[in-house]
Amino acid sequence: SGTMVTSLVTLLSLSIPGSPALPLRQESCAGSLSRLPRGLVRGRTLSARAEGGARKPWDFPRFVKTVATFSPPPNPLKIMKKIMGQEDDRKISLSKGQAIWTAANPLGISWAPLDDVVMGGVSRSTFRVEADAGRFSGFIDEANNGGFTGVRTLPLDAPLDLSSCSGIQLRVKGDGKRYKCVIRDSPDFNGITWTAEFDTRGGGGGGALGFAGGGNGWQTVRLPLSSFVATRFARLLDGETLDSSQIWAIQLVLSKYAYDGALNPNFKPGDMELVVQAVETY
């Protein structure tokens, strides 16, 4: 559809902040779309060449699957309600101490990977729900100017209203790296992202951002809503105000970059893992 093509063009134009744009190179046979952005050739696999010359094949089908996962077709019923001035204003109101996500999943929230494949990278991650936690794990590869893995909640039917809460609390077991927690106050796929960083304990220790301690490797991370900063593609934005009464998505990210091109001091490529026991309000 036109919406899908627009999403593809938008995502293809992006690169990790601080990195050059990715010129694309064509290689062996693969699938195709009926209409492709300039620089793409129908019926061919693509690989991206990093500035330093290193490159690996780009998984274009995985890119398309990712876009389709987070950009579902418009709901005809919602469109009709909007035309008739009957937009759905439902919200899921949460108070302090309530669970947003646990393995029991009281709100029916699902997660899916959103990795650097969306800008030509080859990093890969998964989110698997186990007995009492979710396991966000994968491998970060800096080839093709890549360097991040992430998992994001699938589009919600109604936003979360956190206006009566002080912040978001995570119960996690990490690997010593610095992660980001991202929330979105707009249903737009590429809208403003509100971001807070936190360090995890593991291996050699890690830093102290948001860290509240805990036994057996578990730690409680408290992120005040006031600590989330407005960003777009990891670039800081001024003059924005978070609308905590309509949170449409939550995302967990491990990225090579912090903000405005600065590097994440607690990052290294390779295997990564963050076990999530709970995402709650406080």
Side-chain angles (χ1 to χ4, degrees):
S1 68
T3 301
M4 177 63 73
V5 170
T6 300
S7 297
L8 293 173
V9 173
T10 300
L11 285 171
L12 281 166
S13 69
L14 306 181
S15 62
I16 292 179
S19 300
L22 294 172
L24 296 171
R25 183 176 178 274
Q26 54 197 39
E27 283 194 348
S28 58
C29 181
S32 63
L33 295 175
S34 60
R35 178 182 173 193
L36 295 175
R38 183 180 179 183
L40 304 190
V41 177
R42 194 177 284 116
R44 303 218 178 164
T45 295
L46 304 174
S47 63
R49 183 184 298 277
E51 199 171 53
R55 62 176 178 81
K56 292 185 178 181
W58 180 42
D59 190 343
F60 185 65
R62 183 159 67 97
F63 163 79
V64 173
K65 180 180 179 181
T66 300
V67 175
T69 297
F70 294 101
S71 300
N75 185 317
L77 181 59
K78 289 185 177 180
I79 293 175
M80 288 301 299
K81 285 185 175 181
K82 186 174 182 179
I83 293 174
M84 298 171 66
Q86 299 175 357
E87 290 188 76
D88 191 348
D89 57 357
R90 288 181 305 130
K91 293 182 180 181
I92 302 172
S93 297
L94 299 178
S95 56
K96 294 181 180 180
Q98 284 192 269
I100 297 174
W101 184 88
T102 64
N105 204 4
L107 301 182
I109 289 174
S110 299
W111 303 78
L114 184 57
D115 303 322
D116 61 18
V117 69
V118 298
M119 44 69 62
V122 296
S123 301
R124 182 183 290 270
S125 71
T126 61
F127 187 86
R128 291 190 170 90
V129 180
E130 301 177 347
D132 61 351
R135 189 177 300 273
F136 167 32
S137 61
F139 187 88
I140 293 186
D141 192 325
E142 296 178 278
N144 306 355
N145 286 348
F148 72 87
T149 55
V151 289
R152 177 172 163 180
T153 55
L154 296 184
L156 302 176
D157 290 331
L160 307 177
D161 183 353
L162 308 185
S163 58
S164 64
C165 305
S166 298
I168 292 175
Q169 177 173 289
L170 309 175
R171 182 71 173 165
V172 297
K173 187 185 293 185
D175 52 10
K177 299 182 179 73
R178 179 171 294 181
Y179 288 78
K180 293 178 179 180
C181 178
V182 178
I183 56 179
R184 296 171 180 264
D185 61 359
S186 165
D188 296 338
F189 179 84
N190 281 325
I192 292 174
T193 58
W194 293 87
T195 307
E197 297 181 303
F198 63 95
D199 286 319
T200 62
R201 181 176 57 200
L209 282 180
F211 181 58
N216 302 319
W218 290 103
Q219 64 189 84
T220 299
V221 177
R222 283 196 157 192
L223 303 171
L225 291 174
S226 60
S227 70
F228 285 79
V229 296
T231 66
R232 179 172 274 126
F233 311 127
R235 296 286 183 184
L236 292 171
L237 303 176
D238 294 325
E240 302 292 340
T241 302
L242 172 66
D243 184 353
S244 61
S245 71
Q246 53 171 16
I247 302 303
W248 286 92
I250 299 175
Q251 189 171 343
L252 298 171
V253 181
L254 176 60
S255 175
K256 176 180 178 179
Y257 293 93
Y259 306 112
D260 290 339
L263 295 176
N264 177 351
N266 287 340
F267 167 88
K268 62 179 180 180
D271 293 329
M272 51 74 57
E273 182 175 82
L274 182 71
V275 183
V276 183
Q277 192 175 66
V279 180
E280 304 167 318
T281 61
Y282 77 88

